[in-house]
Amino acid sequence: MSTHEDVGIGDFVLLDEISHERVVENLRVRFNGGKIYTYIGEVCVSVNPYRSTNIYNSEYVEKYKDREMFENPPHIFAIADAVHKEMKQQGRDTCIVISGESGSGKTEASKIIMKYIAAVTNLEGQQEIERVKNILIQSNSILEAFGNAKTTRNDNSSRFGKYMDINFDFKGDPIGGDVTNYLLEKSRVVYQQKGERNFHCFYQLINGCNESDLKSMRLVRDPSSYNYIKKSSGNNQTTTVDKSDYKAVVNAMSTLGFTQMESQTIWNIVAGVLHLGNITFSLNEDKVNINDDKPLKDAAHLLAVDPSDLRAALIQRVIAAGGEVMQKTHTLVEAEYGRDALAKAVYDRLFTWIVSRINGTINVTSNNLHKHQRYRTLIGVLDIYGFEIFDSNSFEQFCINYCNEKLQQLFIELVLKQEQEEYNREGIAWQNIEYFNNQIICSLVEQSHKGMISIMDEACLNVGKVTDEVSKKKLLYQNPNMLLEAMDKKLVNHHHYTSRQLKPMDKELKHKTQFRIKHYAGDVVYNISGFLDKNKDTLFQDFKRLLFKSRNPIIEKMWPEGAQDITKTTKRPLTAGTLFKNSMIELIKNLTSKEPFYVRCIKPNEVKSPVVFDEERVTHQVRYLGLVENILVRRAGFAYRQRYDKFLKRYKMISQYTWPNFRGKTAMDGVKMMMDDKGFSNDVQYGHSKIFIRSPRTLFALEKARSDL
Ligand code: ATP
Ligand code: MG
């Protein structure tokens, strides 16, 4: 409890009136006063300050280390400490779920938490633990280089989801970890919206590597020379940052023990993708032709494949029909589609390979440590792409926003529902709080048969197998109406779904291909063109065989399915939508099995300013994050609750019955005597293991009594 706060109120449950206006006002007062953290009980609300602050230094670490949350002003360190303590003392696996929209500060929060944990552990300075800590922290710069990009909402936007488990030994020191990555937005490799960039690594490489590497990768320092990054070169004014980031990434790779061969392969693939993007096609007497051999040769060189094999895979595909193998030449559209699909897939595999390579390093170290330990607990840190709305929203936003629905659902389950269950468990009388349950939107997306992902999958099936003689139109799913019709038919009465066909008069739905989902965090209009394509995620077999044949053993290993015999019919792979859905369900299951802590991030304005507090935008976030409901549930008539032992420890000195001699038998006895003695008993209820205090005034009075001594 932070009664020592001078700016606004440090814990929302202590507001005398709970309303959206008051909550936003308190956030504003605190933001303007430089206080970016505010609690709702054990939930930490964080407002992005958009400036560097000096509140994460070692002085602060000392201040929050091994303290209770109420002893200091609100800070994310206190959450990190509580999580670590819970794990260490109770031996429970814990997790920190960081949520909020794009640019609200999730990734920064996750890094601050990791740095805090690193700062308060390994007091004996064991070398191997130091190594683990180093790896955990340094891996961030590598993951961000390859998985983050500038978007219109955030200059360093995570374009992949990241969940990191950190393993601890019985002393509470980190001895290992494991990163799980979720759906990378690979479409960015070949296309970026106006004002956005490709993944950072492309610019880092071009601006940062030395002349001889540049030459050996056959690159020039000019981003406008490459189709895949050309568009963004206009707003590419960050070359100095890219340059120094490149160095940081190279250093991190060496800290993590990437071999020379491994890091060279990584950069070769990045360069190879750029060259792939410069391969263009034209029609010559109805046959697809590659215009210029140079990028083809350069790409082949960097991917360590034969240029003639790459050419063949780009202009035709091998199909097996009735046991016979034959070649089918691509149309122009197919060739261009194939090239982009190849670039995306190569990059996506690279990213996944990097994640597993990082895990490999952490685990080599931790295996040494595990030898002596049987007892291990975990802290999970989830930092995933935030809810986003762009001018044009596609399949990626659909997945990202669905993911945020799932996290909101988890929050409802664990915080709103369980909180109310605590009252039941403790035998406390309470009043039910109404809240919007977004389960209905989760179902809209994920339900079997009737959900949007199922409908998409079914539509994909209907389009026919890629290896079939299908028309170019069908193969490329250029007719999105079919899917939209299927959705309309099944979802016609769903309150959270609508399309242009269903609501022709709706002004927001301007195009035939648009549909809208009413998300918990706001309405999003999606454009269905490309959905089926991205869901099916076709990559011609020829490319898989090509890369499997790479002379580079690392690349070969990234493409094991290339070994498959062409005449064997392969099982239909799961669609991107279904894979994503399954990974989300798995993630939620994992989080549910742990003791959760929450950081709710808020974006104060759209202009990245440290001084602008946009009331309207913040109100919107406060609403959809359900903060008011959270506060109400948390209070449900009780502003504060605490375990008897902890409560007694803090206030025992105020009563003659508990200090200096303790006259009770149990902590509960002691608390009751103390509260009776001080005349506070009317305002409290005694649960089975905790005391519940109704009014914030009682708490202030207790604090005052304590400080007046
Ligand atoms: P996305 O969903 O797009 O990945 P995010 O929620 O992860 O967004 P961040 O990348 O963490 O957002 O934050 C965006 C930017 O805001 C940072 O690059 C940084 O400039 C600033 N920022 C965020 N949190 C802090 C902080 N605690 N202190 C200082 N600056 C911050
Ligand atoms: Mg992020």
Side-chain angles (χ1 to χ4, degrees):
M1 203 53 47
S2 36
T3 46
H4 13 192
E5 271 300 297
D6 48 351
V7 186
I9 298 223
D11 191 328
F12 284 114
V13 296
L14 298 179
L15 283 175
D16 27 354
E17 182 204 317
I18 311 287
S19 63
H20 284 104
E21 293 74 38
R22 291 302 308 281
V23 168
V24 173
E25 183 192 304
N26 191 43
L27 281 177
R28 180 173 52 78
V29 169
R30 291 177 64 73
F31 178 78
N32 291 339
K35 308 283 176 196
I36 62 170
Y37 299 114
T38 311
Y39 296 144
I40 303 174
E42 280 179 344
V43 171
C44 180
V45 180
S46 160
V47 182
N48 186 346
Y50 277 123
R51 65 186 163 84
S52 53
T53 55
N54 60 352
I55 57 170
Y56 307 114
N57 55 32
S58 53
E59 209 179 296
Y60 274 81
V61 171
E62 282 311 312
K63 189 165 160 185
Y64 283 87
K65 201 164 116 187
D66 285 329
R67 294 303 170 106
E68 297 292 336
M69 282 177 64
F70 53 75
E71 289 183 78
N72 277 309
H75 197 293
I76 194 164
F77 280 177
I79 300 286
D81 199 78
V83 170
H84 186 239
K85 215 161 27 208
E86 174 79 15
M87 185 269 314
K88 199 167 132 185
Q89 290 173 356
Q90 311 294 325
R92 284 208 55 176
D93 290 348
T94 53
C95 64
I96 307 176
V97 180
I98 309 171
S99 51
E101 61 188 63
S102 179
S104 59
K106 298 180 296 295
T107 300
E108 293 300 318
S110 80
K111 287 192 279 191
I112 294 165
I113 290 167
M114 279 167 63
K115 282 192 185 143
Y116 179 83
I117 290 174
V120 299
T121 50
N122 196 25
L123 303 174
E124 293 158 25
Q126 243 184 294
Q127 213 177 353
E128 294 193 59
I129 292 175
E130 268 326 286
R131 217 178 92 80
V132 170
K133 293 206 295 201
N134 235 332
I135 293 168
L136 292 175
I137 286 175
Q138 296 250 19
S139 64
N140 280 326
S141 69
I142 302 180
L143 291 173
E144 286 186 20
F146 294 88
N148 286 26
K150 176 188 192 308
T151 68
T152 53
R153 316 221 54 207
N154 182 358
D155 293 350
N156 183 32
S157 185
S158 313
R159 308 317 294 163
F160 69 109
K162 177 180 158 198
Y163 173 79
M164 179 179 244
D165 261 331
I166 311 174
N167 302 333
F168 292 84
D169 65 6
F170 69 96
K171 293 200 303 288
D173 288 332
I175 50 170
D178 188 66
V179 178
T180 309
N181 57 313
Y182 296 94
L183 190 71
L184 179 77
E185 186 201 39
K186 63 180 174 180
S187 61
R188 182 169 297 275
V189 172
V190 301
Y191 176 80
Q192 306 96 39
Q193 297 196 23
K194 200 162 166 274
E196 305 210 337
R197 296 210 308 172
N198 209 321
F199 293 98
H200 296 324
C201 64
F202 291 104
Y203 311 90
Q204 291 173 353
L205 176 64
I206 283 201
N207 291 311
C209 80
N210 64 32
E211 289 299 329
S212 80
D213 285 347
L214 199 70
K215 214 163 153 201
S216 77
M217 285 183 250
R218 306 181 180 182
L219 293 171
V220 292
R221 285 215 200 278
D222 172 20
S224 66
S225 305
Y226 302 99
N227 291 331
Y228 285 162
I229 53 175
K230 196 180 192 159
K231 271 223 203 68
S232 49
S233 61
N235 58 53
N236 180 25
Q237 286 147 354
T238 52
T239 43
T240 46
V241 179
D242 288 327
K243 222 167 157 172
S244 60
D245 281 353
Y246 176 79
K247 286 217 176 69
V249 173
V250 168
N251 282 340
M253 285 182 186
S254 100
T255 306
L256 265 70
F258 283 40
T259 63
Q260 173 60 28
M261 160 82 172
E262 285 171 333
S263 24
Q264 192 56 58
T265 302
I266 292 173
W267 295 116
N268 280 353
I269 292 175
V270 173
V273 166
L274 287 179
H275 292 304
L276 276 180
N278 281 3
I279 300 174
T280 54
F281 306 91
S282 58
L283 276 186
N284 190 358
E285 288 174 11
D286 258 13
K287 268 191 72 186
V288 169
N289 226 352
I290 289 177
N291 291 332
D292 175 7
D293 274 356
K294 182 157 187 330
L296 174 87
K297 284 184 182 151
D298 292 346
H301 169 70
L302 289 160
L303 298 172
V305 297
D306 201 83
S308 58
D309 288 349
L310 177 58
R311 175 196 304 279
L314 282 166
I315 58 174
Q316 66 190 28
R317 62 187 178 279
V318 175
I319 51 175
E324 227 179 296
V325 177
M326 46 196 179
Q327 261 104 35
K328 184 175 183 309
T329 321
H330 283 329
T331 62
L332 187 61
V333 183
E334 284 168 346
E336 285 168 351
Y337 171 89
R339 171 202 59 207
D340 287 351
L342 173 64
K344 289 189 281 188
V346 163
Y347 190 83
D348 190 54
R349 291 278 164 111
L350 169 67
F351 188 71
T352 304
W353 182 85
I354 291 174
V355 172
S356 64
R357 178 65 187 77
I358 290 173
N359 287 336
T361 307
I362 309 178
N363 293 325
V364 168
T365 307
S366 62
N367 279 344
N368 296 335
L369 290 158
H370 290 175
K371 271 189 221 138
H372 321 287
Q373 332 246 288
R374 270 172 304 153
Y375 180 81
R376 278 199 296 153
T377 38
L378 299 175
I379 292 181
V381 182
L382 181 70
D383 166 28
I384 211 157
Y385 14 54
F387 182 80
E388 62 191 20
I389 311 177
F390 292 118
D391 292 338
S392 172
N393 302 291
S394 184
F395 182 74
E396 290 80 6
Q397 280 68 48
F398 173 79
C399 290
I400 289 174
N401 292 340
Y402 159 62
C403 160
N404 281 276
E405 293 285 354
K406 293 295 281 179
L407 291 181
Q408 175 68 5
Q409 178 58 209
L410 183 79
F411 179 77
I412 287 174
E413 277 290 317
L414 298 187
V415 179
L416 301 187
K417 243 168 123 176
Q418 285 193 8
E419 184 86 12
Q420 307 208 28
E421 281 165 14
E422 181 173 46
Y423 294 135
N424 283 336
R425 214 170 35 241
E426 290 280 340
I428 299 289
W430 56 279
Q431 219 190 343
N432 206 12
I433 307 295
E434 293 287 325
Y435 54 84
F436 171 65
N437 193 334
N438 72 330
Q439 180 54 51
I440 181 165
I441 311 169
C442 294
S443 304
L444 168 69
V445 176
E446 70 187 8
Q447 214 176 16
S448 41
H449 307 302
K450 282 187 295 189
M452 300 181 77
I453 291 177
S454 282
I455 301 173
M456 273 192 267
D457 284 2
E458 205 178 306
C460 281
L461 276 178
N462 292 340
V463 199
K465 281 191 222 144
V466 178
T467 45
D468 283 353
E469 273 300 297
V470 287
S471 72
K472 135 191 155 189
K473 196 169 169 190
K474 270 186 174 170
L475 171 67
L476 298 170
Y477 315 121
Q478 293 202 317
N479 181 3
N481 293 341
M482 184 188 72
L483 174 59
L484 208 55
E485 273 165 29
M487 294 224 202
D488 286 352
K489 215 158 111 194
K490 290 209 174 164
L491 304 170
V492 58
N493 288 322
H494 203 291
H495 290 318
H496 291 263
Y497 169 89
T498 191
S499 73
R500 163 87 171 205
Q501 273 75 2
L502 295 177
K503 262 206 189 146
M505 303 306 282
D506 196 311
K507 283 204 194 71
E508 216 187 16
L509 298 165
K510 293 192 191 75
H511 300 287
K512 275 210 309 258
T513 52
Q514 288 179 330
F515 69 92
R516 179 172 56 215
I517 298 180
K518 210 172 161 54
H519 283 287
Y520 81 100
D523 291 3
V524 180
V525 174
Y526 297 92
N527 193 326
I528 204 152
S529 324
F531 261 64
L532 273 190
D533 220 356
K534 286 171 178 170
N535 188 43
K536 191 154 186 179
D537 199 17
T538 304
L539 181 70
F540 298 125
Q541 288 290 333
D542 308 67
F543 290 130
K544 299 175 186 168
R545 284 192 292 273
L546 171 82
L547 292 160
F548 177 72
K549 271 173 48 192
S550 169
R551 292 183 303 276
N552 181 318
I554 300 173
I555 298 178
E556 178 198 325
K557 276 212 194 71
M558 291 179 191
W559 294 92
E561 73 271 50
Q564 228 160 30
D565 185 350
I566 170 140
T567 52
K568 294 249 166 67
T569 41
T570 50
K571 234 179 85 192
R572 186 183 300 278
L574 291 178
T575 61
T578 294
L579 283 171
F580 188 68
K581 179 181 92 177
N582 292 347
S583 68
M584 283 301 114
I585 291 170
E586 196 57 36
L587 170 69
I588 297 293
K589 214 165 90 193
N590 177 8
L591 295 173
T592 313
S593 72
K594 300 185 161 78
E595 178 81 27
F597 288 78
Y598 274 93
V599 179
R600 309 285 269 169
C601 297
I602 287 184
K603 194 175 177 176
N605 59 65
E606 291 293 324
V607 289
K608 299 165 192 153
S609 159
V611 290
V612 177
F613 188 88
D614 183 335
E615 296 265 351
E616 200 181 320
R617 288 287 294 122
V618 174
T619 305
H620 180 68
Q621 292 169 77
V622 165
R623 267 184 211 281
Y624 78 65
L625 287 172
L627 295 191
V628 167
E629 291 82 354
N630 186 183
I631 300 164
L632 287 174
V633 169
R634 181 74 193 173
R635 293 223 307 193
F638 301 95
Y640 183 73
R641 89 281 317 267
Q642 184 57 275
R643 280 201 346 232
Y644 290 119
D645 52 342
K646 287 191 178 175
F647 190 78
L648 194 63
K649 195 171 151 214
R650 180 147 185 93
Y651 299 112
K652 61 185 173 200
M653 62 291 282
I654 67 170
S655 163
Q656 53 179 325
Y657 295 106
T658 44
W659 188 262
N661 298 312
F662 180 60
R663 310 228 186 124
K665 271 202 210 86
T666 62
M668 185 176 175
D669 285 343
V671 169
K672 278 184 173 165
M673 277 189 246
M674 179 176 92
M675 297 302 272
D676 282 342
D677 177 33
K678 292 290 158 195
F680 292 135
S681 272
N682 294 339
D683 197 42
V684 304
Q685 279 210 41
Y686 298 103
H688 300 309
S689 65
K690 288 178 182 169
I691 178 172
F692 291 76
I693 299 181
R694 204 165 276 124
S695 143
R697 271 181 289 277
T698 302
L699 209 67
F700 286 126
L702 278 162
E703 278 295 317
K704 186 157 185 314
R706 193 174 172 274
S707 53
D708 284 350
L709 285 178

